Amino acid sequence: MEKVLKKVDIIFENGDDYNPMAILENELSRPGDEIILDLIDSGLKGRGGAGFLTGLKWKFTRNEDNDVKYVICNADEGEPGTFKDREILDTVPEKVLVGMAICSHAIGAKEGYIYLRGEYNFLLKKLQHKIDEFNRAIEERGMDFKIYLRSGSGAYVCGEESALFESMEGYRGEPRNKPPYPTVSGYNNKPTVINNVETLVYVTMISKLGPEKFKELGTKDSRGSKVFSVSGDTPIPGIYELELGMLLGQFVDEFADGDAKAVQVGGASGNCVPRKKFADTIIGFEGIPTGGSMMIFNSTRSMYNVLHDYLEFFTEESCGQCTPCRVGCQQLLKGIEAVKRGEKPPAYLDDLKKLTATMKIAAKCGLGQSVSNPFNSIVDNFREEIIY
Amino acid sequence: MTNTDLLVKDLVHQHGKKRNSLMAVLQGVVKEERFLSEDALIAVAREFDLSAADVYGTASFYTFLDTIPRGKNIIRVCKTITCHMKGKDEVLLALENMLKVKAGETTHDRKFTLLTANCLGWCHKGPVMLVNDEVYPELTPQKAIEIIEEYSRH
Ligand code: SF4
Ligand code: FES
């Protein structure tokens, strides 16, 4: 394996030369389109998993002709195996706030919101305090921008951006039809930039380091580093910032317990990679993209149980709005149970795979569309474990 | 006016009457009363000039906006994959035995409601539970019992 796994310290770095307000002030003295060009040039893609160029998202929103625009920080992290945003908000919240303020300057927004998942309510007080301080500081500098904090109430699907807007507007958190996209019509139907926590921190750090420095890390398709949350069968579970573009094999060498048989890359909605594919699976947009969750399973684990847990999760968290997902998730769960009990023949798994193909096309949002990832990758790679 | 009516009025005063404030008001009621009673839902509907069905329909979407009575302390044990791998079953069983309720139920003295939850965002330190807003990671059955004993003292 030629590429060496590289640990990086950009996000959590808190050295003497790091002064969030100085970074912000420097950016405020530059025109918004210049900041956006730099961001596009840096190659930063959204760290939530979808991988859209952050600068492009900002550019679209900037170009919308509207007096009211919003910046929203999506802190509704709920994917099983993912816990990086909590750590970021807990340890370096100023970097998130500065990222939001840079965005507001670049696109012309006067209000920003952080939507924090209800499970992280223990952070509310501390975060509100930071926000109050920050709002005061930028007001003193004459900046017309204010950040507010909102909290969720326990619904995974609200991490989907349009569901998040619905929730903030006081409705059931059900995803909207797309288009229109948030850049055109987001919160309160106004042009909105919605970025996840980690993305906003990288904005701040790219402002500090410059796009060239950021581009030195990663690969052509996956620039920079990102934060990984590592859990499961590992002696060193936790949060690590790593350069993008590593091979899964290198990751396993570093983090697993020597007996890994599979790694679920990208949370419950991601792909399960079996041992035989470790060596040639790239972690990044040219291989398997990820929001950062890595769950490691060793040979003592039943992959049937793993899949069963995931399907239970999706069944419970489906918003129920569209039939392919609402009914599909339940049928997949019942289906593998029936195969396990011997009530259905093994070939029934192939019918279920057809169902996931339908869900992928017909489900309205990413939740229903991505169930096929864990389902197919586990059924294909660990078929015997599902059957017997 | 009942206490619930007053609470709702106060929250609406604090957060505003626009629909965008609905979640904050519902969360405020739950914080004080642990769940949304019929009276509370009706009071909220009246203040926002919405139908009670609309308010109920919104509230019932969210796991944390309970519409059935809950105990003074709400325990949520994570049941998702990595906590499962690290022994959440044993933790849950220990709590069930201690509190003499099954997951989903409330104790007779109304002090505790025991629930399971999906991933709480502490997968590297499972098994984990929330008690109200407080997080308790790296549990063992023994540790979980001690923590809840502490809560039952006051
Ligand atoms: S795919 Fe699932 S979660 Fe998404 S809108 Fe449809 S029912 Fe809701
Ligand atoms: S799986 Fe229990 S906290 Fe994530």
Side-chain angles (χ1 to χ4, degrees), chain A residues 47-50 78-82 84 156 226-229 248 251 263-273 283 288-297 310 313-314 370 373-374:
Chain A
R47 291 319 198 215
E79 184 87 23
T82 311
K84 63 186 172 75
Y156 165 70
K226 94 169 283 340
V227 182
F228 288 84
S229 47
L248 186 54
F251 172 85
V263 180
Q264 178 77 15
V265 179
S269 65
N271 280 285
C272 188
V273 184
I283 305 302
I288 298 193
T290 167
S293 157
M294 304 289 246
M295 284 182 259
I296 306 174
F297 304 109
Y310 289 161
F313 173 79
F314 289 120
S370 60
N373 297 335

Side-chain angles (χ1 to χ4, degrees), chain A residues 78-83 86-87 115 117-122 150-155 157-158 163 166-174 187-188 230-234 237-239 295-297 301 305-306 309-310 312-313 316-317 319, chain B residues 15 18-24 26-27 30-31 50 53-66 76 78-88 116-126 130 132-135 138:
Chain A
E79 184 87 23
T82 311
F83 40 89
R86 171 180 52 68
E87 184 81 4
Y115 186 95
R117 74 186 295 220
E119 287 82 346
Y120 292 171
N121 274 352
F122 68 96
R150 294 290 195 89
S151 82
S153 281
V157 73
C158 287
E166 289 290 311
S167 175
M168 281 180 58
E169 290 173 22
Y171 296 92
R172 297 165 67 88
E174 292 175 343
Y187 178 49
N188 289 338
V230 184
S231 63
D233 293 311
T234 160
I239 292 154
M295 284 182 259
I296 306 174
F297 304 109
R301 305 297 172 187
N305 286 346
V306 172
D309 261 37
Y310 289 161
E312 251 184 0
F313 173 79
E316 287 177 12
E317 297 294 345
C319 85
Chain B
H15 296 286
K18 281 219 216 104
R19 177 127 195 176
N20 292 28
S21 311
L22 182 61
M23 291 290 287
L26 294 175
Q27 286 166 344
V30 171
K31 197 164 174 51
L50 298 167
D54 192 349
V55 176
Y56 176 79
T58 304
S60 62
F61 185 82
Y62 298 94
T63 327
F64 286 10
L65 300 180
D66 283 310
R76 299 176 202 267
C78 175
K79 63 169 181 179
T80 314
I81 184 78
T82 49
C83 289
H84 189 172
M85 288 161 63
K86 302 292 174 190
K88 64 93 185 157
T116 56
N118 280 326
C119 185
L120 298 172
W122 292 84
C123 325
H124 56 326
K125 292 190 174 164
L130 280 182
N132 308 325
D133 284 345
E134 228 37 61
V135 194
E138 296 181 315

